[in-house]
Amino acid sequence: MEPDVIRTLSNLSLFLQVVAFLMLLYAIKLKTESMEKHARGAALAVFTIVPTILFMFYSIGQGFQLASYGFVLMLHRFLGFIVIIFIILFVTNRWRFKKKVHMHIATGLWTLTLALGIFVYLVSFGYIA
């Protein structure tokens, strides 16, 4: 792919990730009103990130690496994989141990994964050397 297309897709991916995270935070606030609204809001946040996950899998397939911060990228991918597993289990209601503590863990991991992803974005486009 052309570098301009990669940059555009990366910008869109980052934007959608931040929007989805803000939606998740709002969904967390909604749990005081109704668990149904909370579940719908969280599910909408998850569906918002699906295109970004597809782009990230494409980047992995193309061999995207960070020479100087390889460990950060590896940790981002590992935590992202765990978050995806949590998301699948939560949204499909397939985990019988779905408890508040597990959702707190997933939210914390999503936060850390997002922060690492922003760092990876900044490094990959030269904002951080």
Side-chain angles (χ1 to χ4, degrees), residues 1-7 9 55 58 62:
M1 257 191 212
E2 295 292 318
D4 290 340
V5 173
I6 295 293
R7 183 178 276 281
L9 288 174
F55 174 66
Y58 174 78
Q62 294 299 309

Side-chain angles (χ1 to χ4, degrees), residues 11-61:
N11 290 340
L12 179 62
S13 178
L14 179 61
F15 175 75
L16 288 175
Q17 284 287 340
V18 170
V19 167
F21 188 74
L22 293 173
M23 292 167 66
L24 177 68
L25 294 178
Y26 183 68
I28 291 170
K29 181 187 174 298
L30 285 176
K31 74 180 178 187
T32 59
E33 292 178 29
S34 151
M35 284 308 286
E36 185 178 319
K37 287 181 181 180
H38 167 70
R40 278 189 279 154
L44 184 59
V46 166
F47 292 126
T48 302
I49 66 165
V50 169
T52 69
I53 293 170
L54 295 175
F55 174 66
M56 288 179 217
F57 283 143
Y58 174 78
S59 296
I60 291 169

Side-chain angles (χ1 to χ4, degrees), residues 20-124:
F21 188 74
L22 293 173
M23 292 167 66
L24 177 68
L25 294 178
Y26 183 68
I28 291 170
K29 181 187 174 298
L30 285 176
K31 74 180 178 187
T32 59
E33 292 178 29
S34 151
M35 284 308 286
E36 185 178 319
K37 287 181 181 180
H38 167 70
R40 278 189 279 154
L44 184 59
V46 166
F47 292 126
T48 302
I49 66 165
V50 169
T52 69
I53 293 170
L54 295 175
F55 174 66
M56 288 179 217
F57 283 143
Y58 174 78
S59 296
I60 291 169
Q62 294 299 309
F64 175 75
Q65 294 294 324
L66 291 177
S68 22
Y69 295 98
F71 177 74
V72 173
L73 180 60
M74 185 177 67
L75 183 60
H76 169 68
R77 288 176 177 168
F78 176 72
L79 293 177
F81 177 75
I82 293 171
V83 170
I84 290 169
I85 298 298
F86 268 117
I87 284 171
I88 290 169
L89 293 173
F90 289 165
V91 171
T92 61
N93 285 317
R94 299 289 180 215
W95 194 17
R96 63 187 179 127
F97 302 110
K98 183 175 167 181
K99 295 190 169 81
K100 191 174 187 177
V101 66
H102 300 121
M103 292 187 185
H104 285 274
I105 291 168
T107 302
L109 289 175
W110 191 343
T111 304
L112 185 56
T113 303
L114 177 63
L116 290 171
I118 291 170
F119 182 79
V120 166
Y121 173 87
L122 293 173
V123 168
S124 64

